[in-house]
Amino acid sequence: MRHSFILPVLLSLVACDALPRDPGGTSTRIEQTRSFSVALADPSVRSAPEVGKLIREIERRTNAHPQWRAGLGEKLLQQLDHGSLDLLIGRFTADSPWATAVAFGPALSSSGPKDAPIELKAAMRNGENRWIMTVERASRAISTEARNQ
């Protein structure tokens, strides 16, 4: 009787290791290829120190290297939504029309008025929860580092 209880518990613990999941396989692909695709919604954000810090932190957490892609705004958001781009970094407002189509990470920095800030942050494909969690943790790590300096 005791063994019949232990086996399901062990199986469920093993299954938990795969959570959260990426239905599109983003994290698995990044682990296998050791690269992730990234673009800037606006080339001017390249000079923001938070961008380099975020990329380095994601590299550290994934053992993968960025593959930079060129493009601008709307087209890049479409690529992100379709899964042909892993990460988009840019300045976004809270009322961005893409707020329901993509997952935004925590703000790396913000500017503008407090009631309508423009936030520098990463965007990921909705539903790729393991990848989103990785980027969110990396974003929080560098945001915390900046506040402590």
Side-chain angles (χ1 to χ4, degrees), residues 4-70:
S4 62
F5 174 74
I6 293 174
L7 184 59
V9 170
L10 288 175
L11 289 175
S12 66
L13 288 174
V14 170
C16 288
D17 187 43
L19 294 176
R21 296 177 197 257
D22 287 351
T26 302
S27 293
T28 302
R29 179 181 40 75
I30 291 169
E31 288 169 10
Q32 291 172 348
T33 64
R34 295 194 181 269
S35 70
F36 58 95
S37 57
V38 60
L40 302 173
D42 173 2
S44 70
V45 301
R46 169 102 62 204
S47 62
E50 298 88 353
V51 171
K53 289 178 183 178
L54 178 62
I55 295 301
R56 286 189 298 278
E57 184 64 19
I58 293 170
E59 285 179 301
R60 188 186 71 75
R61 290 170 182 265
T62 62
N63 292 315
H65 299 287
Q67 299 298 312
W68 289 94
R69 301 245 181 105

